[in-house]
């Protein structure tokens, strides 16, 4: 096999940024797979350049290095950046490969701009691809292993790529580890609802932890398992066997159903100081939060009690909610969330706007068939900057009124203050306060709410009546992409939001606004 010059880019940011919070945090958003692919490429005898893009680097610099094959790992929010980078590298003769959440969710679209688009990826797929990396144009080739890999390179092998990445984060450094893939639960909106749960070898975790203890004085590990702790005792046994008390701190995403008090106490004594349970909804997914058939206010009280119990043992808890689910109607779900914030003031609430990420989840087929998915540019699809599903039970102004009101409540001075004094430890207090103040989410949502009244083009786009991108959004993508804007290939700003449905041989219904739309009074253009 010819020795190839390979560049691997992990896009942890979607464009240049100077925001303080991003400077501190973006390197901690690095993915494991680009590091794993770097290890595999080297093992196959190739030269590798590895760059985690945090928004501070000059990526045009990379173009100076000769690259035969470029791998890009991207979330959908960084898709347009990825397309522009692929375009620039292809012009210089490289073959380009996309992997990660965007490739899994929008393979048809990505194939227009990359030579190869990878779904589930293992060493065999990478080896096959590199044996004959022929350009595939105009439409790239979609490849994928039939299932998630049975094992990934551990920390020992990935360290040479992790170390320079973490060096970009001034003082808060999270080492990425993984112990399982898939999930036994079936939340209809989730990419892992159809991926079987699969633990990775426990010997590997043992080795990772031993290696890390020898490398860093008091490391902080972030588990990338979609749902940490499904094989709870096995994990805890390994940690207790290898890690001396208080030597490693851990962060994990775990469903409340796995967080019984006995489990939480064991997590605490094993160094877990941050947990991110998903609550999602007051009306659905009771199995996930262990609330059974309790819904509405009964579920709020039960979950608040549960979260407060967790907070008695673990200092940092982030509770995740999805806004705009079909089971929500009227003011009640939002008011219930406010009630929850009052009852569990120490938890940091993270709100996601319901987003149908292409072919991520089975629910998306139904939403596309109903004509409810909107073609917001990928750049806005990060679960916070746009909701690409028309809500079932709200007009857009109603929805945004509630969302703004709730977000304002959650991030208000009074809440930040209460959270500050409810939290334990200066680290948690400062982090939560900084996060609330820095993100400025209320201002952005309030802007969208006001534009719904003032700008017909935005209203028409969000009602599904027009697919012409309003200037407001176009200007924002342009500003945010910075130098990559000019390199964006023709047509890459927009996408077919129903590509998944069409790939199954179906067509969407015409958008039905159900007479819920009231005409906005004023027209603004530009
Ligand atoms: C852990 C996790 C995180 C962690 C770690 C993120 C990271 N960099 O990996 C944290 C908390 C930091 C995070 C942050 C975010 N996340 Co997140 N996260 C997850 C979660 C729970 C697990 C993903 C995971 O690591 N799985 C294990 C890996 C090994 O498997 P995999 O992802 O399936 O990857 C396979 C293939 O895709 C491929 N592959 C993966 N990467 C690459 C790269 C290359 C080059 C190649 C060739 C192949 C390849 O190989 C893997 C093995 O088969 C998923 C939800 C879920 N249940 O899966 C959401 C998920 C990936 N996150 C999501 C989102 C929206 C976000 C945020 C934007 C949230 C926000 N508003 O801030 C940020 C973006 C971070 C970023 N880097 O840009 C979405 C992504 C949707 C999309 N299409 O973009 C998901 C799917 C959740 C959802 N809402 O449905 N997240
Ligand atoms: S519990 Fe979490 S990872 Fe599992 S299917 Fe539900 S949302 Fe996805």
């Amino acid at each position: 096999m010819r020795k190839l010059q390979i560049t691997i880019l992990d896009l942890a940011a979607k464009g240049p940024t100077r925001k303080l919070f991003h400077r501190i945090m973006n390197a901690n958003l690095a993915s494991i797979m680009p590091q794993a692919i770097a290890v595999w490429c080297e093992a196959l005898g190739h030269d590798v350049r590895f760059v985690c893009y945090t928004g501070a680097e000059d990526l045009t610099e990379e173009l100076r290095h000769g690259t035969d094959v470029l791998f890009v790992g991207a979330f959908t929010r960084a898709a347009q950046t990825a397309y522009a980078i692929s375009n620039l590298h292809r012009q210089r003769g490289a073959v380009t490969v996309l992997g990660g959440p965007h490739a899994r969710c929008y393979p048809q679209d990505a194939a227009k701009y990359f030579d190869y688009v990878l779904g589930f990826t293992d060493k065999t797929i990478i080896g096959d691809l590199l044996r004959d990396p022929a350009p595939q144009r105009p439409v790239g080739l979609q490849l994928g292993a039939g299932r998630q890999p049975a094992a990934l390179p551990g920390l020992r092998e990935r360290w040479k790529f992790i170390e320079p990445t973490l060096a970009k984060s001034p003082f808060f450094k999270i080492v990425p580890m993984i112990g399982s893939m898939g999930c036994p639960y079936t939340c209809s909106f989730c990419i892992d609802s159809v991926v079987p749960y699969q633990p990775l070898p426990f010997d590997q975790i043992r080795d990772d932890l031993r290696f890390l203890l020898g490398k860093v004085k008091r490391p902080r590990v972030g588990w990338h398992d979609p749902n940490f702790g499904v094989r709870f005792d096995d994990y805890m046994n390994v940690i207790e066997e290898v890690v001396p008390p208080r030597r490693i701190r851990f962060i994990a995403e775990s469903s409340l159903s796995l967080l019984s008090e006995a489990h939480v106490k064991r997590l605490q004594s094993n160094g877990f100081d941050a947990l991110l349970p998903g609550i999602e909804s007051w009306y659905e997914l009771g199995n996930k939060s262990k609330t059974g058939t309790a819904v509405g206010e009964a579920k709020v009280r039960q979950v608040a009690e549960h979260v407060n119990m967790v907070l008695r043992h673990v200092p940092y808890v982030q509770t995740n909610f999805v806004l705009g689910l079909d089971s929500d109607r009227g003011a009640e779900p939002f008011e219930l969330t406010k009630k929850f914030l009052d009852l569990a003031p120490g938890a940091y609430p993270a709100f996601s706007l319901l987003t149908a990420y292409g072919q991520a989840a089975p629910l998306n087929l139904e939403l596309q068939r109903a004509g409810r998915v909107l073609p917001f540019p990928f750049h806005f699809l990060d679960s916070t900057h746009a909701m690409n599903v028309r809500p079932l039970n709200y007009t857009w102004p109603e929805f945004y009124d509630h969302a703004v009101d709730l977000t304002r409540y959650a991030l208000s001075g009074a809440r930040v203050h209460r959270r500050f004094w409810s939290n334990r430890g200066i680290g948690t207090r400062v982090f939560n306060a900084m996060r609330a103040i820095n993100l400025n989410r209320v201002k952005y949502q309030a802007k969208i709410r006001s534009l719904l009244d003032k700008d017909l083009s935005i209203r028409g786009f969000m009602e599904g009546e027009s697919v012409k991108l309003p200037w407001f959004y176009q200007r924002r993508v342009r500003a945010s992409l910075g130098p990559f804007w000019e390199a964006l290939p023709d047509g890459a700003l927009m996408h077919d939001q129903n590509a998944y449905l069409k790939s199954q041989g179906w067509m969407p219904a015409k958008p039905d606004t159900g007479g819920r739309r009231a005409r906005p009074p004023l027209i603004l253009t530009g």
Side-chain angles (χ1 to χ4, degrees):
M1 202 187 327
R2 181 166 74 93
K3 186 178 193 134
L4 299 165
Q5 300 301 315
I6 293 178
T7 299
I8 299 182
L9 280 184
D10 176 6
L11 297 183
K14 61 180 179 179
T17 176
R18 288 177 180 277
K19 280 192 181 159
L20 177 67
F21 189 73
H22 292 156
R23 288 269 159 130
I24 295 171
M25 279 311 287
N26 279 357
N28 293 309
L29 302 181
S31 300
I32 289 175
M33 278 309 288
Q35 301 161 4
I37 289 166
V39 172
W40 289 333
C41 290
E42 284 195 343
L44 290 163
H46 305 295
D47 283 342
V48 171
R49 284 183 55 75
F50 180 90
V51 180
C52 174
Y53 177 62
T54 63
E57 304 78 0
D58 176 8
L59 281 187
T60 51
E61 254 300 299
E62 291 312 307
L63 293 168
R64 284 193 233 287
H65 302 275
T67 296
D68 298 313
V69 179
L70 170 78
F71 284 91
V72 180
F75 281 60
T76 291
R77 66 178 183 175
Q80 263 106 13
T81 311
Y83 291 175
I85 291 168
S86 172
N87 189 19
L88 291 171
H89 277 80
R90 282 166 107 174
Q91 285 168 13
R92 284 166 173 75
V95 164
T96 62
V97 187
L98 181 74
H102 185 65
R104 269 184 69 191
C105 296
Y106 295 95
Q108 300 87 355
D109 195 76
K112 292 188 217 160
Y113 310 105
F114 277 82
D115 295 294
Y116 297 90
V117 178
L118 269 51
F120 291 150
T121 302
D122 56 19
K123 191 176 177 187
T124 310
I125 290 249
I126 299 294
D128 290 348
L129 196 159
L130 295 181
R131 203 159 296 127
D132 177 22
Q136 306 288 335
R137 301 178 195 163
V139 179
L141 208 59
Q142 296 176 35
L143 302 173
R147 42 170 297 178
Q148 292 283 32
L152 291 175
L155 280 188
R156 194 180 294 278
E157 295 163 285
R158 291 190 282 118
W159 193 250
K160 66 185 277 198
F161 308 111
I162 295 175
E163 204 171 25
T165 300
L166 290 184
K168 296 179 178 184
S169 187
F171 44 84
F172 189 71
K173 298 172 193 292
I174 303 175
V175 178
M177 274 184 66
I178 187 161
S180 66
M181 296 183 205
C183 181
Y185 294 96
T186 54
C187 313
S188 58
F189 57 82
C190 174
I191 195 166
D192 267 336
S193 59
V194 290
V195 181
Y197 176 76
Q198 165 197 324
L200 293 168
F202 285 99
D203 279 347
Q204 175 72 70
I205 299 177
R206 213 173 263 119
D207 186 59
D208 281 357
L209 294 171
R210 285 205 178 103
F211 171 79
L212 191 57
L213 285 168
K215 273 284 167 199
V216 184
K217 199 164 166 223
R218 196 147 180 256
R220 186 184 293 278
V221 164
W223 292 99
H224 283 202
D225 302 42
N227 195 353
F228 179 85
V230 173
R231 297 255 311 256
F232 189 81
D233 288 333
D234 295 317
Y235 271 99
M236 293 303 121
N237 291 344
V238 170
I239 292 173
E240 283 158 12
E241 179 193 324
V242 175
V243 184
R246 287 183 295 284
R247 274 296 311 280
I248 303 185
R249 290 158 296 174
F250 296 101
I251 304 172
E253 287 193 42
S254 191
S255 51
L256 277 180
S257 58
L258 299 171
L259 297 176
S260 64
E261 185 150 21
H263 277 190
V264 176
K265 281 182 174 167
R266 201 162 166 203
L267 286 167
Q268 181 213 8
S269 67
N270 284 334
F272 284 72
D273 65 358
L275 293 172
L276 290 73
I279 295 170
E280 329 296 5
S281 155
W282 301 119
Y283 306 98
E284 296 182 40
L285 311 170
N287 60 340
K288 198 182 156 185
S289 41
K290 216 179 178 182
T291 47
T293 52
V295 289
E297 187 154 351
K299 182 169 174 183
V300 172
R301 292 191 181 281
Q302 222 172 308
V303 170
E305 225 169 85
H306 196 155
V307 168
N308 285 333
M309 177 279 286
V310 178
L311 276 164
R312 277 198 294 279
H313 303 287
V314 173
Y316 188 91
V317 175
Q318 173 185 304
T319 45
N320 298 328
F321 300 91
V322 181
L323 307 184
L325 287 166
D326 284 2
S327 51
D328 289 352
R329 185 184 288 275
E332 192 181 71
F334 298 91
E335 293 304 319
L336 289 175
T337 306
K338 286 190 195 167
K339 177 160 270 178
F340 169 80
L341 299 180
D342 291 342
L343 293 172
Y348 187 93
F351 302 118
S352 293
L353 301 177
L354 177 65
T355 306
Y357 287 106
Q359 59 188 56
L363 175 70
N364 299 357
L365 264 188
E366 283 170 42
L367 294 170
Q368 292 183 14
R369 195 176 297 151
R372 288 177 56 198
V373 180
L374 303 171
F376 269 109
F378 295 135
H379 196 75
F380 299 99
L381 300 190
D382 60 358
S383 303
T384 56
H385 284 90
M387 170 155 153
N388 73 346
V389 180
R390 286 187 302 117
L392 187 65
N393 298 316
Y394 300 92
T395 62
W396 280 115
E398 278 165 6
F399 176 78
Y400 267 94
D401 278 341
H402 290 306
V404 171
D405 178 54
L406 173 61
T407 314
R408 186 169 281 145
Y409 188 83
L411 303 182
S412 65
R415 285 303 91 210
V416 171
H417 190 260
R418 219 175 143 203
R419 200 170 299 127
F420 188 88
W421 292 114
S422 305
N423 287 150
R424 282 176 296 129
I426 192 67
T428 304
R429 285 174 169 172
V430 170
F431 184 77
N432 270 341
M434 224 176 85
R435 209 178 157 187
I437 294 161
N438 247 280
L439 286 180
N440 228 342
R441 209 148 276 170
V442 183
K443 205 170 150 202
Y444 179 79
Q445 286 190 352
K447 172 94 185 156
I448 302 295
R449 171 61 190 94
S450 85
L451 288 174
L452 281 167
D453 282 346
K454 291 182 190 152
D455 186 334
L456 259 191
S457 68
I458 289 189
R459 190 65 180 274
F461 185 80
M462 288 176 70
E463 297 294 356
E465 293 168 357
S466 161
V467 290
K468 189 167 183 297
L469 186 66
W471 273 109
F472 170 80
Y473 288 106
Q474 186 159 328
R475 271 200 310 264
R476 284 188 79 95
V477 186
R478 192 184 187 130
S480 169
L481 284 186
F484 302 122
W485 173 259
E486 293 301 330
L488 199 61
D490 283 349
L493 184 59
M494 302 303 289
H495 66 280
D496 179 355
Q497 76 276 28
N498 297 312
Y500 178 28
L501 185 70
K502 291 175 188 167
S503 74
Q504 309 289 305
W506 290 78
M507 289 301 283
K510 280 221 154 29
D512 166 22
T513 54
R516 286 175 287 120
R517 166 153 155 33
R519 285 259 151 209
L522 198 70
I523 303 176
L524 285 185
T525 51

